[in-house]
Amino acid sequence: AQSVAQPEDQVNVAEGNPLTVKCTYSVSGNPYLFWYVQYPNRGLQFLLKYITGDNLVKGSYGFEAEFNKSQTSFHLKKPSALVSDSALYFCAVGGRGSTLGRLYFGRGTQLTVWP
Amino acid sequence: EAQVTQNPRYLITVTGKKLTVTCSQNMNHEYMSWYRQDPGLGLRQIYYSMNVEVTDKGDVPEGYKVSRKEKRNFPLILESPSPNQTSLYFCASTWADTQYFGPGTRLTVL
């Protein structure tokens, strides 16, 4: 079975500091991994994904994520946080082939960036 | 403009009164999905569809029905809603292995 864990319900960081939102996964085979962001009263916006290739993936709004197969992790990072980055972040693992339509989400991490 | 639309955006109803939440995409995507979002639980997949007339259960299908008669539409049907179906619902369609989400429907069942 596929699953995703986001070990931190909340992450607080000062503006200008680097931020990390953690995600670990459990899958059989090679994973499709995703990060989404949800701003208050909005839908989910796609940030970035890892399918194959380079372990460092760059996405929207200056975010990046590092795929680490040995640690089964896919942490989201940004070198310098902005107050406008404050939102709810979801990590997800997707199915392949016959399960392409499946997507399993973590419980989410609330990021707050203090001015 | 490529988008996933849902209607209604907000709905308050009573227990047992059948309702349908519509979902439409204008991108000719084959895969579409429904999710519910509950605090502390993240998003959980209800149903998904691989193409017209092809659907399958997700993780929490009980109490829901779906149909896919045309490629662009994927309605979610609650035949007899109950208060535990009060939630925020999202429709999504898939392109290039990535799911793109609609704006959400906030449903309250009294």
Side-chain angles (χ1 to χ4, degrees), chain B residues 11-74:
Chain B
L11 179 60
I12 301 174
T13 189
V14 295
T15 299
K17 185 176 181 181
K18 181 180 178 180
L19 67 90
T20 299
V21 184
T22 64
C23 174
S24 182
Q25 49 99 0
N26 62 357
M27 299 162 283
N28 203 36
H29 293 168
E30 292 185 346
Y31 283 82
M32 297 183 73
S33 296
W34 276 104
Y35 296 83
R36 61 177 289 172
Q37 182 182 5
D38 301 290
L41 296 178
L43 280 84
R44 293 176 291 168
Q45 198 166 26
I46 302 171
Y47 270 97
Y48 65 106
S49 170
M50 296 75 87
N51 213 324
V52 174
E53 303 291 2
V54 184
T55 63
D56 205 352
K57 296 177 180 178
D59 298 312
V60 288
E62 297 78 17
Y64 304 94
K65 285 177 55 178
V66 292
S67 69
R68 188 95 180 271
K69 293 183 169 53
E70 331 166 69
K71 204 170 194 179
R72 63 180 288 124
N73 295 323
F74 189 44

Side-chain angles (χ1 to χ4, degrees), chain A residues 32 34 36 38 42-44 46 49 51 88 90 97-107, chain B residues 31 33 35 37 40-43 45 48 57-59 88 90 96-103:
Chain A
Y32 284 178
F34 303 85
Y36 288 86
Q38 184 178 34
R42 302 281 297 275
L44 271 77
F46 168 71
K49 67 181 177 184
I51 302 296
L88 185 57
F90 290 99
S98 63
T99 61
L100 182 58
R102 297 289 273 123
L103 194 60
Y104 303 87
F105 281 86
R107 296 189 175 190
Chain B
Y31 283 82
S33 296
Y35 296 83
Q37 182 182 5
L41 296 178
L43 280 84
Q45 198 166 26
Y48 65 106
K57 296 177 180 178
D59 298 312
L88 180 58
F90 288 103
D97 306 316
T98 301
Q99 297 200 17
Y100 294 92
F101 287 79

